[in-house]
Amino acid sequence: MTNWIKVAQVGDVEEDESLALEVNGTQLALHFTEGEYFITDNVCTHQYALLSDGYIEDGCVECPLHQAKFDLRTGKVLCDPATVDINTYPVKTEGDDILVAL
Amino acid sequence: MSAVSSILVVGAGQTSAVAVATLRDSGYEGRITVVGDEAHAPYERPPLSKAVLAAVNAEEPNISIKERDFFSDQNIDLRLGTRVLALDTHTRTAHLSDGSSVVYDRCLLATGGKARRLRNLPEEANQVHYLRTLDDARRLRTALQQARNALIVGGGFLGLETASTACDMGVKVAVIDTAPLLMARSVPSAFSKWLQARIETTGTQLYLGTSIANVQLPGNAVHIALDDGTNLEADLVVVAVGLTPNTELARDSGLKLNPLNGGIEVDAYCRSSVDDIFAAGDCTSQRDADQNAFRLESWQNANEQARVAAHSMLGIETRPPAYPWFWTDQFNCNVQILGLPQPGLDYVIRGDMDPAASMPKFIMLGLRNSIPHHALAVNAGGDLRALRPLLEKRIPIDPAGFCDTSVSVKAYSKALLTSVAN
């Protein structure tokens, strides 16, 4: 039975922006781009930096520290200096609520 | 173009690793030989003055550029602890220090550089440290862990990062530089002065615009007398006064070196003056749009030239290098820079330039006739990234709009790009 946790409301995050969240002690980021929500780990796998402070373009988020790029849908790392993928989490909306499954 | 079945890469650093990965990604299935004189597989150098130096209890971060099995999985012959002694450019044969020879169709020189030595601070002395390799960083780390104080000669990127890390390790630090301003080669004076004020809040001492008059190296101490009469004493000294490109092999093989900066001359495709020999990374001299020669010592340039050289060797079209971008992490600031410094720029500042803030955040934008040519961001990397298209496309900036902090930089940039497109 999936445990869905409400993390935000529609309108909390603007287009091509991200929001830092902490859920059950895990640092996550909620991203909104091209009309879709994505939730990933918030800490870059290369060095400690928050992807929620980064830059979203073409369905990817770039780390603000050294521009490592990750695919928002799959978490796959796309360029140096990171070499490890980030985790992604299922996200859904119910009315105005945005929920994550951990 | 003749068929390529054997590619030799001289050097096993950042440029080399990215070049060979690009070769395989591009579908090249022929022989690749990489020869490097260090004992380590290619690794990133930026962490050497930061996380590697600061590592505690031998918990060093993994700085390998590729996973351990990458080279064998990709059929790349990686020969470490080996040098190329000579290149016979007529027979296209390289003679290696292990007695073997490699015949190549294309050769890439990615030999990087060596920390510039000062004659009065010999590297053989125990108390003297130069920092370029992982082995250097480990030796310096051990020394810093036991030191009460340290002198750093050189107030550029490397000297300051080392100072910052040493300071975090509880070592009392003094930095000496002949230039009156910090990081003078890379940033405008307003930023240098801000950085100086910030560093001084940490208790780190700065002796700028001064030369070394005398050096004594008794036992386990360093005594340095400056030309203004100041006498400094410390347990160790780190010398970070620039990089000398490794070009002996290129020179001996008849390649043209730039007389001003010493780098191996290459064109926009990383071709050297000799057919079938390419060069990329810290060892090269490039030309800007006005044909001025320059060496670009940066992580990004290593990656970009590696890609260009790899595609060029295969005769494949490639996109031009990215807009120059640099970063330095020091004294609790992630400083990112877009573009190269140039004279005649007026800088506008967005945010609060408080040197004493625990985490300062601001952006300086250098304009000429309203066009942005240089941008520096402190703890605002995401914002700098949002500004990048404005510099790439040379879009005029209105300072009042840019400095208005009620509008996010991303929103400002997006609006400007949209209005220009319409």
Side-chain angles (χ1 to χ4, degrees), chain B residues 307-320:
Chain B
R307 167 181 58 80
V308 169
H311 286 156
S312 198
M313 286 193 283
L314 299 178
I316 298 176
E317 277 288 321
T318 195
R319 63 181 195 279

Side-chain angles (χ1 to χ4, degrees), chain B residues 40-52:
Chain B
H40 315 284
Y43 60 87
E44 291 195 317
R45 296 195 198 278
L48 296 182
S49 50
K50 312 179 204 42
V52 170

Side-chain angles (χ1 to χ4, degrees), chain B residues 132-409:
Chain B
R132 174 69 177 173
T133 68
L134 179 54
D135 294 345
D136 293 339
R138 288 172 172 165
R139 179 174 159 254
L140 177 56
R141 177 173 71 220
T142 303
L144 282 172
Q145 284 169 349
Q146 294 157 16
R148 282 155 312 159
N149 43 34
L151 296 178
I152 304 201
V153 180
F157 280 64
L158 186 59
L160 294 180
E161 288 190 355
T162 305
S164 178
T165 302
C167 191
D168 285 344
M169 290 167 79
V171 178
K172 194 146 167 39
V173 179
V175 178
I176 305 163
D177 200 320
T178 53
L181 294 168
L182 295 172
M183 284 173 41
R185 291 187 294 161
S186 320
V187 302
S189 58
F191 186 83
S192 298
K193 290 178 185 154
W194 175 84
L195 185 59
Q196 178 174 345
R198 176 168 192 73
I199 292 174
E200 282 164 354
T201 68
T202 69
T204 299
Q205 310 217 280
L206 299 174
Y207 297 90
L208 305 180
T210 180
S211 301
I212 296 174
N214 187 263
V215 175
Q216 304 286 339
L217 297 166
N220 286 324
V222 182
H223 295 262
I224 289 185
L226 303 178
D227 61 6
D228 66 1
T230 310
N231 287 315
L232 299 172
E233 193 184 313
D235 298 316
L236 64 92
V237 59
V238 182
V239 185
V241 295
L243 188 75
T244 311
N246 288 332
T247 57
E248 303 77 23
L249 183 66
R251 184 199 59 216
D252 293 346
S253 309
L255 272 66
K256 188 159 189 295
L257 305 184
N258 185 270
L260 293 173
N261 62 48
I264 301 170
E265 289 205 348
V266 294
D267 66 9
Y269 299 96
C270 290
R271 290 180 298 204
S272 77
S273 60
V274 172
D275 276 350
D276 301 325
I277 303 189
F278 299 72
D282 284 349
C283 65
T284 66
S285 173
Q286 313 178 54
R287 300 238 171 226
D288 65 16
D290 300 318
Q291 295 309 306
N292 298 314
F294 66 100
R295 278 197 303 108
L296 191 49
E297 298 165 359
S298 77
W299 179 87
Q300 183 204 47
N301 180 66
N303 292 348
E304 292 294 283
Q305 277 194 311
R307 167 181 58 80
V308 169
H311 286 156
S312 198
M313 286 193 283
L314 299 178
I316 298 176
E317 277 288 321
T318 195
R319 63 181 195 279
Y323 202 89
W325 170 71
F326 311 85
W327 88 87
T328 172
D329 293 322
Q330 50 175 282
F331 300 103
N332 223 20
C333 293
N334 167 252
V335 180
Q336 295 192 31
I337 303 171
L338 270 178
L340 298 162
Q342 41 198 284
L345 295 182
D346 292 316
Y347 286 85
V348 294
I349 299 160
R350 178 195 162 104
D352 182 12
M353 273 181 95
D354 177 7
S358 73
M359 215 187 195
K361 185 178 160 108
F362 62 87
I363 304 177
M364 289 179 68
L365 199 53
L367 309 173
R368 185 189 303 120
N369 301 330
S370 301
I371 308 285
H373 292 278
H374 197 212
L376 294 89
V378 175
N379 294 325
D383 287 349
L384 190 78
R385 174 62 180 85
L387 289 174
R388 196 175 82 196
L390 303 180
L391 282 89
E392 287 167 339
K393 298 176 161 51
R394 304 167 88 85
I395 293 180
I397 300 289
D398 61 311
F402 170 69
C403 297
D404 178 4
T405 51
S406 71
V407 177
S408 77
V409 173

